[in-house]
């Protein structure tokens, strides 16, 4: 009976010691989760914009794609239209690279007739618990 009496109340000090660690781990998980979610969203938006832009290639030269003609908008105009349609600020689009797919790899060297496009987006995510922000 004496051993049961000594064990009573041991949970409170253990919980009190572990609570700050649990709160810190939860805050860290929330901040990283937000950054990963932002990264996933930006990847999806980059994919959609790239799909919109690759339609411009259609057997045309890179110069024709960039400048545009009567039937096709210029690459920059298509980027702006696609970004607006997909709710992406133009300032978040860092780069648009035209190239070809060679053996499953994207190649931008000496591209006369591009058949692929790589769109790079960047967004800064503010953390809830930790000071600062992270890039996606």
């Amino acid at each position: 009976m004496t051993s049961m009496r000594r064990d009573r109340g041991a949970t409170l000090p253990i919980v009190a010691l572990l609570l700050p660690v649990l709160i810190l781990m939860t805050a860290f998980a929330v901040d990283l989760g937000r950054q990963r979610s932002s990264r996933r969203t930006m990847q999806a938006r980059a994919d959609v914009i790239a799909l919109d832009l690759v339609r411009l290639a259609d057997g045309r030269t890179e110069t024709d794609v960039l400048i545009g003609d009567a039937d096709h908008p210029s690459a920059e105009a298509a980027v702006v239209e696609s970004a607006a349609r997909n709710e992406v600020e133009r300032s978040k689009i860092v780069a648009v690279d035209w190239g070809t797919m060679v053996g499953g790899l994207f190649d931008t060297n000496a591209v006369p007739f591009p058949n692929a496009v790589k769109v790079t987006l960047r967004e800064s995510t503010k953390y809830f618990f930790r000071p600062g922000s992270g890039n996606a």
Side-chain angles (χ1 to χ4, degrees):
M1 187 142 169
T2 57
S3 66
M4 283 176 54
R5 194 168 286 195
R6 278 188 284 152
D7 290 342
R8 288 185 60 145
T11 353
L12 187 61
I14 292 172
V15 170
L17 289 172
L18 291 179
L19 198 58
V21 174
L22 292 173
I23 290 172
L24 182 66
M25 289 172 55
T26 303
F28 191 63
V30 167
D31 284 343
L32 282 181
R34 285 192 45 167
Q35 188 176 14
R36 296 301 296 170
S37 175
S38 177
R39 191 171 289 176
R40 188 174 43 248
T41 302
M42 294 303 282
Q43 179 66 53
R45 289 177 176 171
D47 290 345
V48 170
I49 292 172
L51 286 172
D52 283 348
L53 293 179
V54 81
R55 293 185 189 119
L56 291 178
D58 197 26
R60 299 167 44 209
T61 65
E62 186 175 10
T63 306
D64 290 342
V65 170
L66 293 175
I67 295 173
D69 56 25
D71 296 328
H72 301 90
S74 69
E76 180 59 30
V79 166
V80 171
E81 289 173 14
S82 183
R85 247 189 337 268
N86 295 294
E87 299 174 2
V88 177
E89 296 172 24
R90 176 60 180 99
S91 61
K92 292 181 180 180
I93 301 174
V94 177
V96 176
D97 298 318
W98 293 89
T100 57
M101 291 301 288
V102 179
L105 298 173
F106 184 75
D107 183 22
T108 58
N109 297 329
V111 180
F113 295 96
N115 66 3
V117 63
K118 181 172 79 171
V119 177
T120 307
L121 302 178
R122 178 168 304 200
E123 180 178 61
S124 182
T125 304
K126 292 198 182 284
Y127 295 130
F128 277 150
F129 298 101
R130 195 178 105 190
S133 61
N135 289 327

